[in-house]
Amino acid sequence: MSDPILRFSEERSVEIVAESFRACGNDRLRTVLESLVSHLHAFAEDVELSQADLDVGIDFLTRTGQACTDTRQEFVLLSDVLGLSMLVDSITNRAVGTGGTESTVLGPFHMVDSPPRELGATIAIVRGGEPTLVTGQVLSADGSPVAGAVVDVWQADDDGFYDVQRDDVPVGHLRGLFVTDGNGRFAFRTVQPSPYPIPDDGPVGALLEATGRHPYRPAHIHFIVGAAGHAPLTTHIFVEGSPYLDSDAVFGVKDSLVVDFVHVEVETEVQTAIELEHQLVPPYRHAHVEITLRVAS
Ligand code: BEZ
Ligand code: FE
């Protein structure tokens, strides 16, 4: 006699649904789905999820999908405000090991084709904002400089908007792709970033509002740094003293990433070498960052 058919029951729901995936030939997919079902059913039991609750949840996810466009990713935002993006980042980087510069969330505003720029060039194509110089050096885990590393940077403007959120600035404003020199050094001119709200006019914003949370991120500049033989790094530098460092809407702040954007106010008789090199006249801000890459495993 064949085994009796297992009909759905509350008591055995996880086991019955897991069984339905038994023939799945993709091991990773089966493992993920079995675990998802197990946690999802436990969650529904835990909160005694009602049909009305489920309808609200499905409506929310439907609206989240409908809010997505080529330049807006509402699901990434949802993952960010739930702390899932940062958790996945931690899990991913746990495998890479310790010792390098810490990573943080990518966010939805990275552009695959950032404009290549000369070392020292400005990424601020449109005027406005407090002049800022960012200098840095990319190092390998043993402290040696990494020549030829690719440093991709992007940031919001002094009104808190990325280029893709505005139709009055060219795409590529406040973005740049730099290659480090023979000493692993890079430099670019920009404007002081300001804190800004993540896009909050959609379902994710409504979720924040309903739970009494604000949508702001502290002022920061994004980096993706890559070099041959090293694990790529996605990170930010945060402006020391910025509002919201202690309540980032997407949980992205790490103490090691907070950098002093030194205020250079006084014009001295003799311009410093850096001012001469970058044609800078005070007042301006100067941030210096050392980025250590882990060796690829
Ligand atoms: C950002 O920093 O660009 C960002 C990160 C998460 C959500 C929204 C924006
Ligand atoms: Fe950002």
Side-chain angles (χ1 to χ4, degrees):
M1 272 220 330
S2 57
D3 291 341
I5 290 168
L6 264 184
R7 298 288 182 205
F8 189 89
S9 70
E10 182 175 346
E11 294 69 29
R12 299 180 72 177
S13 69
V14 172
E15 178 192 345
I16 289 163
V17 179
E19 174 65 18
S20 76
F21 295 128
R22 200 163 53 98
C24 173
N26 180 331
D27 287 347
R28 179 64 181 158
L29 180 61
R30 193 180 60 250
T31 302
V32 168
L33 284 172
E34 281 176 5
S35 179
L36 176 70
V37 165
S38 148
H39 287 88
L40 205 54
H41 288 214
F43 154 73
E45 290 288 358
D46 187 35
V47 300
E48 295 190 4
L49 201 72
S50 68
Q51 185 61 48
D53 294 332
L54 184 60
D55 292 346
V56 169
I58 287 177
D59 177 60
F60 175 78
L61 291 175
T62 303
R63 287 184 291 108
T64 299
Q66 287 165 343
C68 294
T69 67
D70 284 352
T71 53
R72 177 165 182 157
Q73 231 308 347
E74 196 76 2
F75 276 113
V76 174
L77 275 189
L78 180 58
S79 162
D80 293 340
V81 303
L82 293 179
L84 183 62
S85 303
M86 281 305 291
L87 179 60
V88 169
D89 179 64
S90 301
I91 294 167
T92 306
N93 284 287
R94 192 205 306 140
V96 180
T98 52
T101 296
E102 289 194 282
S103 58
T104 189
V105 67
L106 173 67
F109 295 117
H110 178 244
M111 233 172 70
V112 179
D113 296 315
S114 207
R117 301 193 194 281
E118 296 293 320
L119 286 175
T122 185
I123 62 170
I125 308 308
V126 175
R127 280 176 181 277
E130 195 178 352
T132 297
L133 172 69
V134 178
T135 55
Q137 189 175 25
V138 179
L139 304 168
S140 193
D142 65 0
S144 57
V146 182
V150 176
V151 180
D152 188 355
V153 300
W154 69 104
Q155 68 169 83
D157 63 21
D158 58 327
D159 287 328
F161 293 106
Y162 286 86
D163 54 356
V164 292
Q165 295 177 292
R166 303 179 63 145
D167 48 23
D168 59 344
V169 302
V171 171
H173 175 51
L174 296 176
R175 297 178 190 272
L177 201 61
F178 298 89
V179 178
T180 57
D181 68 13
N183 292 316
R185 294 187 189 279
F186 64 89
F188 61 92
R189 284 170 292 131
T190 183
V191 292
Q192 174 83 347
S194 66
Y196 65 85
I198 63 169
D200 64 346
D201 56 346
V204 171
L207 177 73
L208 294 179
E209 169 90 30
T211 53
R213 281 175 55 182
H214 71 72
Y216 283 88
R217 298 213 65 207
H220 60 273
I221 301 177
H222 293 258
F223 287 76
I224 296 180
V225 184
H230 295 81
L233 172 73
T234 299
T235 195
H236 305 355
I237 55 172
F238 293 93
V239 178
E240 193 173 283
S242 170
Y244 310 111
L245 279 173
D246 294 335
S247 63
D248 182 3
V250 303
F251 310 100
V253 178
K254 292 180 176 171
D255 288 339
S256 66
L257 302 178
V258 179
V259 172
D260 190 3
F261 279 59
V262 179
H263 211 158
V264 183
E265 285 191 79
V266 184
E267 207 170 326
T268 51
E269 253 173 59
V270 183
Q271 278 199 301
T272 62
I274 221 159
E275 287 168 2
L276 281 172
E277 186 183 347
H278 297 287
Q279 297 163 13
L280 279 164
V281 178
Y284 63 90
R285 300 260 186 173
H286 180 195
H288 183 76
V289 54
E290 285 195 347
I291 293 176
T292 303
L293 296 181
R294 298 177 179 108
V295 174
S297 46

